Amino acid sequence: LTSLFDQVVASASERLARMSDDRYRLKRAEDPENRQRLAGLDLVVSDAFACKERPVRTLSGGETFLASLALALGLSDAVLAQ
């Protein structure tokens, strides 16, 4: 399941980048102490304009819509690739 989730996030990240003119990308959250991916489903947004990563809960309403749409399309891409 983890590899499938990684495929969904990778595809969603590419779609979100296209929808946001390369401003946002999605990534799985990492443990800040040892820089390893967390086992959960937490995501962060990499913001190219602010040059930092932030939790997805900090996105505005329109940005949240784009991220949700990107995740739905990423899931569709991953299912079609199977």
Side-chain angles (χ1 to χ4, degrees):
L1 288 176
T2 302
S3 66
L4 180 59
F5 183 64
D6 286 338
Q7 290 174 5
V8 170
V9 172
S11 180
S13 181
E14 288 299 317
R15 287 186 175 268
L16 182 59
R18 278 186 261 149
M19 286 188 266
S20 66
D21 293 327
D22 285 325
R23 178 173 182 175
Y24 300 118
R25 291 194 175 271
L26 292 172
K27 291 177 55 177
R28 283 188 49 201
E30 295 179 345
D31 183 358
E33 291 181 11
N34 60 15
R35 303 298 296 170
Q36 291 182 350
R37 287 186 177 164
L38 297 174
L41 303 177
D42 289 337
L43 296 174
V44 294
V45 174
S46 177
D47 187 339
F49 289 178
C51 297
K52 66 178 182 177
E53 292 180 355
R54 57 190 174 118
V56 291
R57 70 178 176 274
T58 63
L59 293 172
S60 72
E63 294 164 344
T64 300
F65 174 77
L66 287 180
S68 297
L69 179 60
L71 281 167
L73 294 171
L75 177 60
S76 174
D77 291 343
V79 168
L80 289 174
Q82 296 296 321

